[in-house]
Amino acid sequence: MTRRVLQLLIGLVLYGAGAALTVEAGLGVDPWTVLAQGISLHTGIGIGWVTNILGFFVLLLWIPLRQRPGLGTIANILFVGTSMQATLTLVQVPAGLGYQILALALGILLVALASGLYIGAHFGPGPRDGLMTGIRSRFGWPIWLARGTVEITVLIIGWLLGGTVGIGTVAFAFLIGPLVHIALPLLDTAKQGTAREGTAKPRTAKRPGPGVSAPGTPATRSPA
């Protein structure tokens, strides 16, 4: 349990840091960050804090969808945006396209690694993921349709509010799925536990000594 909690928290912190690097790259960000960025421009609230606030309001949408949050859901709301805001405050990407591309690539890799960590800890989905799975279970939509509808909607709203949409947005959309697909099996605590059980040596029953019956077999009388 301790290891799973640490894995969850490290994953959420790294997720926020990776998302912040994609913002600093200035080449376009994922749909939910586009929305947070757009809201931030109009309210003056930091993008990370907006991310936390959005997570809370998305969680409210779970109520009509009959979804139940887990520890990971609540921690996601508290830690991702906070880590993102801290990283944006501390890290500044130097000017130049090469640095921007490097920051974008590192940000996407960090988000993929972080996703494997916090999903693999099995403490429940983040509020945005839970919204999509809730739509699937409530209305019977395939997950690709639920995800696509939600993310295109928030992307358009965020873009209209002034969020950054660009090559980074496209790169994130195409790369994040395959990268998480690689990271998750390596960091899945349930699979690791199963593997450890499978490598444990099976116990061998002791052979009964002379004149002792094996369990489940009738006793035989020794010849006189």
Side-chain angles (χ1 to χ4, degrees):
M1 176 65 74
T2 302
R3 180 195 168 181
R4 288 173 59 214
V5 171
L6 286 174
Q7 180 170 321
L8 170 70
L9 296 178
I10 292 170
L12 295 177
V13 170
L14 289 179
Y15 195 105
L21 285 177
T22 64
V23 173
E24 280 291 315
L27 298 174
V29 292
D30 68 277
W32 284 101
T33 307
V34 172
L35 178 60
Q37 195 175 36
I39 295 173
S40 175
L41 289 172
H42 286 269
T43 61
I45 302 172
I47 298 174
W49 306 130
V50 173
T51 298
N52 284 349
I53 295 167
L54 278 174
F56 172 75
F57 280 106
V58 170
L59 185 61
L60 294 180
L61 296 177
W62 283 33
I63 297 173
L65 296 175
R66 300 173 186 173
Q67 293 282 92
R68 293 183 178 180
L71 174 63
T73 312
I74 305 303
N76 189 296
I77 296 172
L78 296 175
F79 286 97
V80 170
T82 304
S83 170
M84 188 177 179
Q85 190 64 40
T87 305
L88 288 170
T89 302
L90 298 173
V91 176
Q92 185 174 4
V93 175
L97 183 59
Y99 289 112
Q100 290 177 284
I101 293 173
L102 181 62
L104 176 65
L106 181 58
I108 293 174
L109 286 172
L110 269 180
V111 168
L113 173 64
S115 298
L117 284 167
Y118 89 79
I119 294 172
H122 294 282
F123 279 111
R128 297 156 188 82
D129 292 329
L131 173 63
M132 296 162 194
T133 56
I135 291 172
R136 179 189 63 180
S137 60
R138 190 78 171 87
F139 301 108
W141 291 13
I143 192 64
W144 65 266
L145 180 59
R147 189 178 195 95
T149 301
V150 170
E151 292 196 346
I152 289 173
T153 300
V154 300
L155 178 66
I156 292 172
I157 295 172
W159 176 66
L160 291 174
L161 291 173
T164 306
V165 178
I167 189 64
T169 309
V170 177
F172 192 97
F174 277 96
L175 294 175
I176 196 63
L179 289 173
V180 173
H181 182 75
I182 295 170
L184 185 54
L186 300 175
L187 301 166
D188 192 327
T189 54
K191 288 187 177 181
Q192 290 170 0
T194 303
R196 284 194 295 271
E197 290 174 4
T199 56
K201 293 182 178 179
R203 293 183 179 179
T204 56
K206 294 182 179 179
R207 296 182 63 183
V212 179
S213 301
T217 60
T220 57
R221 182 177 295 176
S222 300

